[in-house]
């Protein structure tokens, strides 16, 4: 069961206007919330990020934070599986015509769509994955979780065709992020990651990795990272709500470091998995 504009519906019964501005212009934003054992991870933070994205496109938030959290919990409770990926989607609605300026007095479209949470396989964790790279040709407000995901679609399709799991992006010689992940670089035992700014999407998992690194005394730098440094890394990781922490062992056909999952990736993933079992699944304060 999903939620659409005040109703809980089967997916086949959910209908959105062909003139919805999300369909016509990508005029909207989204969030994805991982759920472990029916416990949404950092739901309040996801709701705050949704609110920030809405504010950035001047779309009034249709719900309070408490209402969003209640709706998400209601959707979670209606599913017959425990681990979920809950997708929140808000558009500027349908004005009944195709015109670029904001329509007046139009209700936004609100969709909450759950799916089973799929995380990396044991083989992917043990062996790592391959990636390609590409110039970052997205717009300059990547911090907004916008529905305009055509660049991501194109880059992830390119990665898929190359038999890879991700596409790393570089803008003017600097690492930005993966097409659908944040990227961490390890060199000489030091973890580095690009800072949060308008050129990357600040991930909830990104924040957690920083917290775990600090908690366990792992050297960490938040700074700009050059393309050359990225390609010379001892380890590369991709992180996201669904990929968790996943080592990249090959980039553009060349091995990363020794071409195998590195010691810091293993150590950080162990910390992450322990946190998932003791905090995320327990629904404890986190």
């Amino acid at each position: 069961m999903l939620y659409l504009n005040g109703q809980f519906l089967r997916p086949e019964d959910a209908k959105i206007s062909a003139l919805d501005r999300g369909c016509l212009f990508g005029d909207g934003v989204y969030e994805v919330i991982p759920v472990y054992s029916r416990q949404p991870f950092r739901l309040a933070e996801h709701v705050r990020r949704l609110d920030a994205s809405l504010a950035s496109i001047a779309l009034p938030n249709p719900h309070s934070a408490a209402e969003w959290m209640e709706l998400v919990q209601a959707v979670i409770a209606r599913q017959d599986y425990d681990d979920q990926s809950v997708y929140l989607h808000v558009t500027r609605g349908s004005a009944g015509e195709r015109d670029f300026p904001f329509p007046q007095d139009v209700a936004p479209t609100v969709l909450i769509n759950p799916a089973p949470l799929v995380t990396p396989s044991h083989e992917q964790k043990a062996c790592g994955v391959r990636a390609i790279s590409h110039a970052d040709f997205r717009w300059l407000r990547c911090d907004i979780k916008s529905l305009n995901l055509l660049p991501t679609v194109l880059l992830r399709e390119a990665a898929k065709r190359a038999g890879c799991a991700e596409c790393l992006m570089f803008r003017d010689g600097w690492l930005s992020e993966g097409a659908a992940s944040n990227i961490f670089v390890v060199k000489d035992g030091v973890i580095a990651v690009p800072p949060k700014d308008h050129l990357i999407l600040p991930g909830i998992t990104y924040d957690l990795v920083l917290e775990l690194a600090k908690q366990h005394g792992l050297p960490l730098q938040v700074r700009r990272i050059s393309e050359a440094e990225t390609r010379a890394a001892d380890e590369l990781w991709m992180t996201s709500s669904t990929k968790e922490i996943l080592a990249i062992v090959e980039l553009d056909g060349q091995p990363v470091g020794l071409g195998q999952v590195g010691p810091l990736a293993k150590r950080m993933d162990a910390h992450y998995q322990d946190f998932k079992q003791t905090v995320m699944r327990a629904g404890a304060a986190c």
Side-chain angles (χ1 to χ4, degrees), residues 63-85:
H63 295 297
S64 67
E67 289 169 342
W68 275 117
M69 289 189 277
E70 183 178 346
L71 284 171
V72 169
Q73 294 283 11
V75 168
I76 292 169
R78 282 170 166 79
Q79 312 315 312
D80 58 5
Y81 41 87
D82 291 339
D83 288 4
Q84 304 174 26
S85 177

Side-chain angles (χ1 to χ4, degrees), residues 159-216:
K160 179 181 176 181
R161 288 175 181 249
C164 295
E166 183 56 299
C167 180
L168 276 64
M169 295 180 288
F170 298 101
R171 191 188 295 266
D172 301 324
W174 298 96
L175 173 67
S176 50
E177 57 187 341
S181 65
N182 292 118
I183 302 297
F184 286 74
V185 175
V186 177
K187 186 67 176 179
D188 297 330
V190 178
I191 305 165
V193 66
K196 292 181 181 181
D197 59 19
H198 64 288
L199 297 178
I200 73 167
L201 180 68
I204 304 298
T205 305
Y206 171 112
D207 291 339
L208 177 57
V209 171
L210 266 59
E211 292 169 20
L212 290 174
K214 181 178 180 180
Q215 178 183 340
H216 294 282

Side-chain angles (χ1 to χ4, degrees), residues 77-158:
R78 282 170 166 79
Q79 312 315 312
D80 58 5
Y81 41 87
D82 291 339
D83 288 4
Q84 304 174 26
S85 177
V86 178
Y87 173 79
L88 278 59
H89 171 112
V90 185
T91 83
R92 213 175 300 273
S94 174
E97 61 179 354
R98 185 181 185 278
D99 194 14
F100 290 102
F102 295 171
Q104 301 299 313
D105 301 320
V106 172
T109 296
V110 176
L111 168 68
I112 306 177
N113 187 27
L117 178 64
V118 179
T119 55
S121 66
H122 176 74
E123 181 181 5
Q124 286 179 314
K125 286 285 189 182
C127 299
V129 296
R130 300 164 58 221
I132 60 172
S133 69
H134 199 282
D136 190 345
F137 53 72
R138 302 171 300 168
W139 71 329
L140 298 179
R141 289 302 311 274
C142 299
D143 55 312
I144 300 173
K145 218 165 168 62
S146 160
L147 298 181
N148 293 276
L149 292 174
L150 184 56
T152 299
V153 170
L154 295 175
L155 295 174
R156 288 301 294 270
E157 175 62 18

Side-chain angles (χ1 to χ4, degrees), residues 1 9 23 35 44 65 104 110 132 171-172 191 227 242 268:
M1 298 288 285
L9 303 164
C23 175
V35 177
Q104 301 299 313
V110 176
I132 60 172
R171 191 188 295 266
D172 301 324
I191 305 165
E227 180 173 350
T242 56
M268 181 60 76

